[in-house]
Structures are given as structure tokens and as C-alpha cells.
Amino acid sequence: MFIGRSKELETLEKLYHQNSFQFVVIYGRRRIGKTTLINEFIKGKKAVFYPSIDSNIKQNLELFSNSVLSSLTDIPVNTTFKNFEDIFEYIYQTAKNERFILAIDEYPYLANCYHGISSLLSAFIDHKFQNSRLMLILCGSSLSFMENQVLGYQSPLYGRRTAQMKIAPFTYKECSQYYKNFERKELALAYGVTGGIPLYMSKINDSISMEENIKNNFFDMSAYLFEEPANLMKQECREPMQYNAIIKSIAEGAVKISEISTVSGLNDTSLTSNYINKLISLGIVEKKYPYKSKSTKKTIYRLSDNMFRFWYRFVPANLSLIGQGAKDKIYQRIKNQITAYMGFVFEEICQQYLWKENLKGNTPIDFTDMGCWWGNDPVEKCETEIDILADNDEGEAIFAECKWRNESVGEAELKHLQHQSTLFHYRRNVLMIFSRSGFTAGCHALAERTGDVYLIDFEDMEW
């Protein structure tokens, strides 16, 4: 079932119907649904789709030739063009008089085996494709390669694209369109363990409980998601053991380079930094700064992939029990920990909700940017963190806390948020608390006395 990506499809269709040369770059981490998007777009259109392979020039030339000839002619597919220049010339001749799509998937594989491919493409774009009706799509999973070697200034292809798309995971709202049978808290957990990655989402069955889904997908050695992190690391990294150690340390709470280096056992911050940069390029780790700050002293690292965060937090510690098939026992061990795990996930959901409401004009202030903030509280003389801070250029700000727990939020949490807002100097402070389990009567009373306070129950958030 194809869901979401309506904006991306709309853009592609718009470019397609311009009937002139178009060059679109599509990129994003693995499993994000790039190939599915392209295949959905080219349905019913004259197109060649070539999935590059991580091999040598000879094999890519043969397979590329087969893809072109089998799609465009009746020539036997065992025929091979002499070189890539002949392939592109044939494509140009085909696209001179009719609309035609050439989509090259995993372009970094092709570029790594034939280093001159980007220069060759650039020459064809400048001297031939520009005068054709070709729609060229280059797609790739290596974020660093696509951003630097395709979109970057140093690339021969620089300045020639007509559009680019960085494909993001599905939002909580898009997940709700996929899972029809989950009640809201189960849906949040499904989003929390898949991170909105389409392939991971497809492994979750909404006809059974999330408890059963977690046991079947993470605590069963034959399950796809049980093997996924290890398989992806082996596929993408030369030293998967080191990367595994770093990911596990971040999943367990290490956030600074020095902490990650120590907990992972590398004990070398420069080496750790190199490994982390690779994980960032894979879309698994992200570098974070406090909102409105770019101070390197406050840099932290978090797992941007929620499936990896869940897996590394709960699977390695229970491998022996998993080997014994003790799925029920493992779940009972981690059941209470899942509530804490969902804290970051709930923050993501609340941020998405605020952006949605802001774009509709439903928020008390019209903010222009948002983030989370952490730093020193000079009054309490301690480190503190604000889950959501959103503001505008008019001196207005929303301070929000997100509480995913089994107890109702009380007065103490609202008073704490009030205090945190005084650490800044906005002319208007709006306070919001999002809660999974509602609010106490005392919290409601304090909110009414204070004014500019919004208490939002998760069950009441409209999507």
C-alpha cells in the first residue's frame, strides 16, 4: 500500500508535465522509501529504471544496457552497449521527440565504480539533454555523497538540477494513515519503534497489540527487525563492531563526544568523531545544538533513527533470553522502561503537532522556528532542559514540556516551566504542557490563574 509522499509526487508530476528537460535529485537514508516513490511516479509512463549495483564497471554497464534495451526496444537483453556514452546517446535520441524518464537508483554505486560518470552526464546535459524532453532522476542513500558529489559545488553536476528532494521519515500523522486499528497510544508506540521508516512500519501488524508486535519483531531471532541493525552496519561500514558500540552508548544515554568515547570503549575522541560523522551520513545519528545556539561546547549527539534507538536500548541487554525464546519474560522486564523511552518520541510528536497547528493559524502566537534548549540555570545553579521552545521576531515565545508518563501532570511541573521561561527575555511567554495522562485539578487551577497557559491532553490532539 502506497501512502504519503503527496507533496513529492505532486512536484514530480508538475515537472514531468512541463515537457522540457528536467533533472531531479532524490536522496535520503536507506529504507526511507525513495525507490517506492520513484516506482509510484513512473507508473504508466515511458521510463527506464536502473538500480545501480555495488560492483565493477563491466557489470553495471551490462545491467544498465539491459534496463535501457528491455524498456525501450525489442532488442535481446543480452546486448550490451560499448560504453556509457553510447547509452546516454541512445537515451538522448529517444528523448528528442517524446517524453521519457531515466531514473538511476543508488547512483553512488555507479559513480564509485566509474568516476567519470558525473562529468559525462554533465557534458550530455549541457550539450544534448537540455534540448530534449528527458526527465533525469538520480537517487541515492549516501547523504554525504549526494550532498557533496551531486549537489555540492565541487560536483560536475553542480547547478544543473532543476529540483532536489531529501526524503524524510513519515510523520506521526502519516503513520496514523497507515495503521487503521491502533488506538492512539498504541499508534504512538508504533511510531516510536519504527521512526516512521516505511520498511520498518510494514513489519508492524495493527491487528495485534504493540506488545505482541515488539515481542515478535525485536525479541525473535528470525525476525527481520532483529537482524536489521547488524545487517545495515555490515552493509555500510567496514568496522561494524565499533559502530555498534557507539550506537549502543548513545542509545543508553551518552550524548557528548567524551562520554560516547568512554562508554563505547574507543577512548579516542577524534576517532569517535570520525565514526559518528559516518553515522550522521547514514541518517542514524544527528548532531544537536541548543535552540538559538551553535556553541560546540554544548553539542550533543542523539540517534535520529528511533528503531535503532529502541533496538540498541533493549535488544543487546537481553540477547541471552532472546536466544532462549523468552519473549514474554523480556517484555515484562522492559515494560516500565518503555514509558521512559517514549519521552523523546512524544517530544517529536508534539513538535509535529505544533507545526501543523501553527501553519493552520491555530497557535496563540505565530512562530517562525522551533527547537529544544538545554543549558545552565543561574538561579537554581543546575543544568536544565526545555523540551520545546518556539519563537518569532516579535519577541513572543512558546515554552512547552512533553510528559509521557502514567501519572497526571501536577502543579509542580507547571511551576517549573514558569521558572524556565524566566531564563529568557521575551516580551510574551506562552506556556504549554502536553500530557499522555491528563492533568490534576490543581494544575488546571494554576493554569487559569496564570493565563497564557495551555494544557493539552494527548487524546485531545486533533490530527
Side-chain angles (χ1 to χ4, degrees):
M1 178 177 68
F2 186 86
I3 65 166
R5 310 301 186 207
S6 56
K7 291 181 180 178
E8 291 87 349
L9 281 174
E10 182 181 347
T11 298
L12 290 171
E13 290 289 348
K14 182 179 178 180
L15 294 169
Y16 178 80
H17 288 291
Q18 288 182 19
N19 215 25
S20 58
F21 173 72
Q22 301 293 332
F23 172 24
V24 184
V25 178
I26 298 176
Y27 66 111
R29 58 146 294 169
R30 289 195 184 279
R31 322 300 198 231
I32 204 74
K34 303 181 298 298
T35 303
T36 303
L37 169 65
I38 294 172
N39 284 326
E40 182 70 17
F41 166 63
I42 65 177
K43 281 182 180 177
K45 300 179 177 72
K46 188 164 188 176
V48 169
F49 176 83
Y50 175 58
S52 308
I53 61 171
D54 189 12
S55 185
N56 58 29
I57 296 178
K58 181 177 182 295
Q59 288 193 344
N60 271 290
L61 181 61
E62 291 174 354
L63 294 172
F64 199 172
S65 298
N66 289 344
S67 294
V68 171
L69 295 174
S70 63
S71 299
L72 300 180
T73 73
D74 295 325
I75 298 174
V77 295
N78 60 352
T79 303
T80 301
F81 287 97
K82 292 180 180 179
N83 49 51
F84 286 100
E85 185 173 359
D86 285 353
I87 292 180
F88 292 143
E89 178 63 30
Y90 185 86
I91 288 169
Y92 166 64
Q93 295 298 330
T94 303
K96 279 200 299 185
N97 300 313
E98 61 179 322
R99 195 52 160 164
F100 167 60
I101 302 168
L102 170 62
I104 303 177
D105 199 8
E106 290 305 341
Y107 179 71
Y109 286 157
L110 184 59
N112 285 334
C113 80
Y114 176 30
H115 297 301
I117 191 71
S118 292
S119 295
L120 181 61
L121 266 176
S122 174
F124 265 86
I125 290 171
D126 291 346
H127 302 293
K128 295 192 174 185
F129 290 163
Q130 285 282 9
N131 302 314
S132 75
R133 296 164 66 185
L134 176 68
M135 185 171 185
L136 172 64
I137 299 174
L138 298 186
C139 179
S141 299
S142 172
L143 304 186
S144 59
F145 183 95
M146 297 301 289
E147 289 174 344
N148 297 322
Q149 302 301 318
V150 177
L151 298 172
Y153 180 76
Q154 68 272 37
S155 169
L157 295 168
Y158 177 75
R160 290 165 176 81
R161 71 187 183 277
T162 54
Q164 69 282 326
M165 299 178 183
K166 185 175 183 180
I167 308 301
F170 283 140
T171 63
Y172 171 81
K173 180 179 180 180
E174 289 169 322
C175 285
S176 70
Q177 297 168 358
Y178 185 82
Y179 300 118
K180 301 296 185 181
N181 299 319
F182 282 143
E183 57 91 22
R184 184 164 290 193
K185 291 173 184 176
E186 290 265 280
L187 177 61
L189 185 53
Y191 176 70
V193 302
T194 64
I197 303 297
L199 183 59
Y200 303 160
M201 288 171 56
S202 70
K203 306 302 178 183
I204 302 297
N205 180 1
D206 66 352
S207 65
I208 60 176
S209 69
M210 274 307 298
E211 176 180 338
E212 292 302 313
N213 271 293
I214 288 172
K215 289 190 290 189
N216 294 342
N217 282 288
F218 292 95
F219 305 143
D220 184 332
M221 297 182 75
S222 66
Y224 177 90
L225 291 182
F226 176 82
E227 290 287 348
E228 168 66 357
N231 288 339
L232 191 58
M233 288 298 98
K234 289 175 184 176
Q235 181 180 359
E236 296 288 353
C237 306
R238 293 181 179 177
E239 301 173 284
M241 289 187 297
Q242 304 289 16
Y243 289 97
N244 285 330
I246 288 173
I247 296 171
K248 186 173 183 292
S249 68
I250 298 174
E252 292 174 346
V255 296
K256 297 181 179 180
I257 283 286
S258 57
E259 297 172 345
I260 297 168
S261 179
T262 300
V263 175
S264 66
L266 291 177
N267 297 313
D268 184 330
T269 55
S270 62
L271 184 60
T272 301
S273 181
N274 290 335
Y275 285 129
I276 287 178
N277 287 335
K278 172 67 173 179
L279 292 170
I280 291 173
S281 76
L282 295 175
I284 295 171
V285 171
E286 60 183 341
K287 181 186 290 188
K288 304 279 287 184
Y289 303 94
Y291 184 60
K292 297 292 187 182
S293 171
K294 291 294 183 181
S295 171
T296 56
K297 294 181 180 179
K298 295 183 178 180
T299 301
I300 64 172
Y301 297 89
R302 287 181 177 169
L303 296 181
S304 53
D305 186 311
N306 280 337
M307 194 282 287
F308 271 65
R309 192 162 65 87
F310 187 89
W311 194 98
Y312 280 91
R313 181 160 176 177
F314 297 115
V315 172
N318 292 288
L319 281 176
S320 295
L321 287 172
I322 292 171
Q324 296 298 315
K327 295 188 290 187
D328 293 337
K329 184 172 184 178
I330 298 167
Y331 191 84
Q332 291 307 312
R333 287 186 65 185
I334 71 164
K335 186 175 181 179
N336 293 332
Q337 299 174 49
I338 291 178
T339 300
Y341 166 85
M342 283 294 293
F344 282 135
V345 177
F346 191 42
E347 288 178 23
E348 291 178 20
I349 293 172
C350 294
Q351 287 191 15
Q352 293 171 15
Y353 175 81
L354 270 179
W355 272 120
K356 176 184 71 71
E357 292 297 295
N358 187 61
L359 294 175
K360 290 182 177 180
N362 293 337
T363 47
I365 70 167
D366 181 18
F367 60 84
T368 55
D369 204 357
M370 177 194 294
C372 56
W373 181 90
W374 58 93
N376 183 55
D377 181 340
V379 178
E380 299 293 336
K381 293 182 171 51
C382 65
E383 290 292 310
T384 190
E385 182 176 342
I386 299 171
D387 293 340
I388 298 176
L389 173 54
D391 62 5
N392 57 33
D393 294 333
E394 298 173 12
E396 301 172 310
I398 293 175
F399 295 83
E401 286 292 301
C402 311
K403 303 296 183 183
W404 186 271
R405 62 189 193 189
N406 297 324
E407 303 82 20
S408 300
V409 174
E411 294 176 65
E413 286 83 0
L414 178 51
K415 289 179 179 178
H416 180 63
L417 184 59
Q418 286 177 312
H419 166 70
Q420 288 179 313
S421 69
T422 65
L423 301 177
F424 298 81
H425 301 288
Y426 292 100
R427 68 175 181 83
R428 181 189 176 192
N429 294 340
V430 176
L431 307 183
M432 289 186 178
I433 300 182
F434 296 88
S435 173
R436 173 198 174 189
S437 303
F439 304 87
T440 65
C443 188
H444 278 292
L446 178 59
E448 290 181 10
R449 293 195 303 271
T450 304
D452 251 355
V453 175
Y454 296 80
L455 305 180
I456 304 169
D457 195 306
F458 181 48
E459 295 292 341
D460 296 331
M461 293 163 65
E462 296 182 1
W463 295 94

